[in-house]
Amino acid sequence: MRRLLALTLTLTLGAALPVWVLAQQAPAPTTGPAAPAAPASEAENASLELVRKGDDGQERRIHIVRTGTSDETGIFTICGPQEGEPEDAPSLAVFSETGPGGVRITIDKNVIRVPLALVTQRQGKDGEGGDGRVEASAGSARFLDAVPEGQTDRLSRCAVEALPKPTPDTVLVTQGRTELKGQQLVYDETDGIARIDGPISFTRPSEDGPLTGTSEHIEVNVDKEQTVLVGNVVLNSKGGRVSKAARVEYDDQANLARLLGTPEQPAQSVQGSNVLSAQELLYYLDRDEVVVHAAPGGTITGEFQDGEESPGSGSPGTPAPASPPAQP
């Protein structure tokens, strides 16, 4: 099934119209230089809702909102097709907010705050758009007094300037109690995955001390409703446990991290002199405990000091038994 994405603009007055309709209602002049894009002053806290329909027929939503209300801290505008462009050329929405709330993007369980977001959507048949593309990072945007001479890009022709500036620790992600930081987010229609570039750092507070960690990227799969830490993932607990994996499926609400390795590079969890390795480890975040899920043909190895109880096992000095996948 072809994935479809509806893009709507919600005004503070309660009106909701497709973005492409708004763009067609106020096109650029057919002759002469393009008029500057009009600020959406009546749409303070303006928002876009992207509705994605997956192969399973389910609709999943990505919500984008500018939290500020002052022209001094940011802008919101939609730049539609310009003179000489095809009528079905994509529309480009610009969100900018340097205030504390930033531009808020909600994807699955994750609430993401950034200073700048650009949303591109191509108009499809019968008014339905493609999946679109979201690019978000640090940076700023502003309205220009006039169209810059000699500039042919879409935003310049709309008299808008947007300056993305990917910077570490400026893409702020909150999932439950977990807070993560990256430098750039890109969501694309080709696979429905929002990718956040690192370096990624995160922390999850608890009564016994925080769980901290790092990874190279974050992937949020909209269709699967799944958040994955990707690339050299390291989790550090205050209890001294250090866990490593190539990929970690992370679910703060379920208090569970699923550490995924490969036969060549299994996932590993070390606490003191105890070492546990397997292709898949289940890390119960609140309890700071790790158990093994053994896939068919998988290998489990363990090194435990005599007299110490192995993680996930009731008897000392023996590796943890294989466990079925945990139900959150």
Side-chain angles (χ1 to χ4, degrees):
M1 179 186 297
R2 179 176 176 268
R3 294 190 176 94
L4 301 175
L5 194 65
L7 185 59
T8 60
L9 166 65
T10 303
L11 306 181
T12 53
L13 298 179
L17 295 173
V19 165
W20 67 268
V21 173
L22 296 178
Q24 286 188 338
Q25 288 175 341
T30 55
T31 59
S41 57
E42 75 280 10
E44 294 176 346
N45 297 115
S47 64
L48 297 180
E49 188 172 72
L50 296 83
V51 183
R52 179 180 177 83
K53 183 177 290 185
D55 290 339
D56 59 1
Q58 297 296 315
E59 291 185 349
R60 298 172 178 87
R61 300 171 187 271
I62 298 175
H63 194 67
I64 306 171
V65 59
R66 180 196 167 204
T67 62
T69 58
S70 171
D71 293 339
E72 296 180 357
T73 60
I75 68 169
F76 166 77
T77 191
I78 297 173
C79 184
Q82 300 296 296
E83 179 184 2
E85 294 182 332
E87 292 184 358
D88 62 349
S91 295
L92 181 57
V94 180
F95 291 82
S96 173
E97 178 56 49
T98 59
V103 177
R104 187 172 66 239
I105 305 173
T106 304
I107 306 178
D108 190 30
K109 308 175 188 68
N110 304 285
V111 179
I112 302 162
R113 287 185 293 125
V114 291
L116 177 66
L118 306 178
V119 184
T120 305
Q121 188 204 23
R122 184 180 298 278
Q123 177 188 341
K125 295 180 180 179
D126 301 323
E128 293 183 329
D131 278 14
R133 182 178 177 88
V134 180
E135 300 175 71
S137 68
S140 61
R142 65 187 181 99
F143 293 109
L144 303 175
D145 294 332
V147 176
E149 185 176 355
Q151 297 297 316
T152 59
D153 64 278
R154 170 69 68 79
L155 288 182
S156 293
R157 295 180 69 183
C158 287
V160 175
E161 180 184 69
L163 301 174
K165 188 179 179 181
T167 306
D169 298 336
T170 55
V171 177
L172 308 178
V173 185
T174 301
Q175 185 189 123
R177 288 183 288 161
T178 303
E179 295 183 353
L180 307 96
K181 297 179 181 180
Q183 68 172 331
Q184 183 179 28
L185 177 148
V186 176
Y187 169 84
D188 194 81
E189 63 185 355
T190 55
D191 54 14
I193 296 177
R195 292 176 171 85
I196 302 175
D197 292 337
I200 304 297
S201 62
F202 74 90
T203 182
R204 184 181 196 264
S206 70
E207 295 180 358
D208 298 329
L211 173 72
T212 61
T214 58
S215 69
E216 295 176 357
H217 310 280
I218 301 173
E219 293 181 358
V220 182
N221 190 312
V222 174
D223 293 332
K224 294 182 178 180
E225 299 178 333
Q226 185 181 78
T227 300
V228 184
L229 306 174
V230 180
N232 296 317
V233 186
V234 180
L235 308 178
N236 300 283
S237 74
K238 188 177 180 181
R241 181 183 299 282
V242 179
S243 304
K244 300 180 180 181
R247 297 172 64 88
V248 173
E249 296 176 2
Y250 194 89
D251 191 334
D252 182 278
Q253 184 176 2
N255 298 315
L256 181 67
R258 191 182 300 268
L259 283 68
L260 305 174
T262 64
E264 297 77 20
Q265 187 179 2
Q268 184 181 80
S269 185
V270 179
Q271 187 172 37
S273 58
N274 295 338
V275 181
L276 189 62
S277 297
Q279 285 184 237
E280 184 172 336
L281 299 175
L282 303 182
Y283 190 168
Y284 294 92
L285 304 175
D286 280 349
R287 303 199 304 263
D288 193 25
E289 294 178 359
V290 174
V291 299
V292 175
H293 173 221
T299 301
I300 305 171
T301 63
E303 298 178 9
F304 307 99
Q305 184 175 352
D306 290 343
E308 290 192 6
E309 185 173 312
S310 61
S313 173
S315 59
T318 59
S323 303
Q327 295 295 326

